[in-house]
Amino acid sequence: MAVTDEAIEKIKDMIVSGALRPGDRLPKESELAADLGLSRNSLREAVRALSLIRILDVRQGDGTYVTSLDPQLLLEALSFVVDFHRDDTVLEFLAVRRILEPAATAMAALRISEQQLDALTAQLDKLGDDPSVEDLVACDLEFHRGIVQSSGNSVLCSLLDGLSGPTTRARIWRGLTQEDAVGRTLREHRAILAALRDRDAEAARSWATVHIASVEQWLRSTL
Amino acid sequence: MAVTDEAIEKIKDMIVSGALRPGDRLPKESELAADLGLSRNSLREAVRALSLIRILDVRQGDGTYVTSLDPQLLLEALSFVVDFHRDDTVLEFLAVRRILEPAATAMAALRISEQQLDALTAQLDKLGDDPSVEDLVACDLEFHRGIVQSSGNSVLCSLLDGLSGPTTRARIWRGLTQEDAVGRTLREHRAILAALRDRDAEAARSWATVHIASVEQWLRSTL
DNA sequence: ATGACCTGATACGTCGGAGGTCTTGAGCGA
DNA sequence: TCGCTCAAGACCTCCGACGTATCAGGTCAT
């Protein structure tokens, strides 16, 4: 195994074992390199790799720190990975979302706050009659994220965020706007919201399922 | 933005845009560094980072290649990330698994092959009366993976694989063996298998839910 | 006394070059 | 034809130097 890979493992072990805790500062590059028995260059490769997936936070002129290691932060790297997938696997991602999102929406029905409901309503109202693709993507993202956040499970939230991140959604919406599906999709958003307001978990789950299934169906017919 | 980060973005763009396809070979380090306008050292940091998350495959003496970009491969990096999470977030991961796994098991009920069923049965039979923790973990992993693979969705499979990877499972089993939960858990495995053999998707879903809920319940009581 | 500003120490960022090691494939001999 | 040798090519590791950003402490004007 290459020295850099060893370094990655050792740093990982230091964190997993608790020797390094979230927020802790690592020894400076030259010292850490000496401790781990490799050159500064090779160590930097290890640090850079861990920083890409948000394990470490490198601040020039200051030092290198362990991040908070929050699920939200770490799963952020997921969207980076998802961006690499080609269209032919979008359906598989959507199928997973179809499993997770209804469950999350049902959970949210029991926990979502009144003010969050009002915020979602206001957000839907804000969208004009002829919104741009960018607006639709942003609105869609915000809407679902707002609901999933109210599920109370940050792992679930981050996962859904990563699975159907901006890129994937943009691809889908770009196609949707070419059809007449925009209106229906927005109406489904309102139906989900109404179910949440009624605290009707099963209705919320079903609407969420319908919502994603309709996108899935459309997508399947065009690929 | 640092030159290394720029390089990461540029390489990512080359792949996403299709200029580099899965399996393609990158220009050699010195050339690519010259093309992107940075030093070889800095480029290596970018390549190393992308190789940690399985976007690139670096082979010493040969060259650097774009991986297959299979969901399975890319989501493998997920387990690396999950390893960093502390015990207090295990419950959230388990909650997500509780959503995904029953759905996957239900899907598998409709698609799993006879020989796969036989293989799972044989595997359960192989486990003796007093298995070690390592055997239990390996068996548990194999059992659930075998089922989820039969769901036919590789993203779902990889995701579950990553979410409840070896580390998480080991932590749980190490605790479980201290109680009398081993026998019950193995019986639940057999019940899931029986439902699959009956092609009874709903029964399979329910048994899977019960199975994970019982682990969840136990875990909640001990944390 | 308080605030802004300057400055030195510190730590990460980038670079170029020098050897080392591994893989591959062409070339050679049995 | 098969197996071996070996040289070219590509990645691996390291070193030393310099650039750049941050922070802490001191200085000076208010």
Side-chain angles (χ1 to χ4, degrees):
Chain A
M1 183 187 277
V3 291
T4 300
D5 294 314
E6 282 181 35
I8 291 177
E9 281 302 317
K10 286 178 182 171
I11 296 174
K12 176 181 176 181
D13 286 343
M14 284 193 281
I15 296 175
V16 172
S17 72
L20 283 174
R21 314 186 116 274
D24 277 1
R25 175 177 178 161
L26 274 67
K28 63 180 174 187
E29 286 181 348
S30 56
E31 283 181 16
L32 188 54
D35 288 347
L36 300 182
L38 40 64
S39 74
R40 198 177 142 232
N41 271 336
S42 300
L43 172 67
R44 277 183 58 78
E45 290 182 19
V47 171
R48 171 72 65 178
L50 290 173
S51 127
L52 178 67
I53 57 175
R54 307 287 206 283
I55 301 295
L56 298 180
D57 179 22
V58 182
R59 307 176 202 162
Q60 179 178 173
D62 185 358
T64 302
Y65 299 81
V66 179
T67 67
S68 63
L69 298 181
D70 279 341
Q72 179 189 357
L73 196 63
L74 298 198
L75 292 176
E76 219 174 80
L78 189 63
S79 75
F80 186 89
V81 166
V82 172
D83 284 345
F84 282 92
H85 282 93
R86 310 193 63 76
D87 290 339
D88 53 351
T89 55
V90 167
L91 273 178
E92 294 203 352
F93 280 99
L94 205 56
V96 173
R97 194 177 154 214
R98 179 177 168 174
I99 297 170
L100 286 178
E101 188 129 356
T105 307
M107 289 164 72
L110 308 176
R111 306 180 79 262
I112 196 168
S113 69
E114 290 295 331
Q115 65 205 49
Q116 177 71 324
L117 284 170
D118 293 340
L120 288 174
T121 305
Q123 190 217 348
L124 282 184
D125 290 339
K126 201 177 57 189
L127 208 62
D129 285 339
D130 188 24
S132 67
V133 175
E134 287 71 24
D135 286 343
L136 281 170
V137 170
C139 173
D140 188 50
L141 204 57
E142 272 307 304
F143 181 76
H144 289 286
R145 185 183 303 185
I147 292 175
V148 175
Q149 270 177 348
S150 297
S151 75
N153 185 322
S154 62
V155 171
L156 180 55
C157 185
S158 307
L159 213 51
L160 274 169
D161 234 39
L163 280 182
S164 45
T167 305
T168 305
R169 266 200 169 78
R171 272 199 290 242
I172 294 175
W173 275 100
R174 209 171 308 281
L176 273 181
T177 54
Q178 293 165 2
E179 309 277 325
D180 181 39
V182 178
R184 189 192 55 199
T185 305
L186 293 180
R187 280 194 298 278
E188 286 168 357
H189 277 186
R190 292 201 178 271
I192 292 174
L193 194 51
L196 290 178
R197 212 175 265 287
D198 290 343
R199 306 290 172 185
D200 187 338
E202 282 316 305
R205 181 197 307 274
S206 297
W207 272 112
T209 305
V210 166
H211 179 53
I212 296 178
S214 74
V215 173
E216 194 179 348
Q217 198 171 31
W218 168 83
L219 200 61
R220 195 183 302 275
S221 71
T222 60
L223 284 185
Chain B
M1 183 187 276
V3 291
T4 301
D5 293 316
E6 282 180 35
I8 292 178
E9 281 303 315
K10 285 177 183 171
I11 296 174
K12 176 181 176 180
D13 288 343
M14 283 193 282
I15 296 175
V16 172
S17 73
L20 283 175
R21 312 187 116 275
D24 278 0
R25 174 178 179 159
L26 274 68
K28 62 180 174 189
E29 285 182 348
S30 56
E31 282 181 16
L32 187 55
D35 288 346
L36 299 182
L38 41 63
S39 75
R40 229 188 100 236
N41 270 333
S42 300
L43 173 67
R44 277 184 58 78
E45 290 183 20
V47 170
R48 173 70 67 175
L50 289 173
S51 119
L52 177 67
I53 57 176
R54 307 287 205 283
I55 301 295
L56 298 180
D57 180 22
V58 182
R59 308 177 202 161
Q60 181 179 169
D62 184 358
T64 302
Y65 300 81
V66 179
T67 66
S68 64
L69 298 181
D70 279 341
Q72 179 189 358
L73 197 63
L74 298 198
L75 292 176
E76 219 174 81
L78 189 63
S79 75
F80 186 89
V81 166
V82 171
D83 285 344
F84 282 93
H85 283 93
R86 311 190 64 76
D87 289 340
D88 52 353
T89 56
V90 167
L91 273 178
E92 294 203 352
F93 279 99
L94 205 56
V96 173
R97 194 178 154 214
R98 179 177 166 173
I99 297 169
L100 287 178
E101 187 127 358
T105 307
M107 288 164 72
L110 307 176
R111 305 180 80 263
I112 194 168
S113 68
E114 291 294 331
Q115 66 205 48
Q116 177 71 323
L117 284 170
D118 293 340
L120 288 173
T121 305
Q123 189 215 351
L124 283 184
D125 289 339
K126 202 178 56 190
L127 209 62
D129 286 339
D130 189 23
S132 67
V133 174
E134 287 71 24
D135 286 343
L136 280 171
V137 171
C139 173
D140 188 51
L141 204 57
E142 271 308 304
F143 181 77
H144 288 286
R145 185 181 303 184
I147 292 175
V148 175
Q149 270 176 347
S150 297
S151 75
N153 185 322
S154 62
V155 171
L156 179 56
C157 185
S158 307
L159 213 51
L160 274 170
D161 233 40
L163 279 182
S164 45
T167 305
T168 304
R169 267 200 169 79
R171 273 200 288 243
I172 294 176
W173 275 101
R174 210 172 306 282
L176 273 181
T177 53
Q178 294 164 2
E179 310 276 326
D180 182 36
V182 178
R184 189 191 54 197
T185 304
L186 292 180
R187 280 194 299 278
E188 286 168 357
H189 278 185
R190 291 200 177 272
I192 292 173
L193 194 51
L196 290 178
R197 212 175 263 287
D198 290 344
R199 307 288 173 187
D200 187 339
E202 284 315 305
R205 182 198 305 275
S206 298
W207 272 113
T209 305
V210 165
H211 179 54
I212 297 178
S214 73
V215 173
E216 194 179 349
Q217 197 172 32
W218 168 84
L219 199 61
R220 197 185 300 274
S221 71
T222 60
L223 285 185

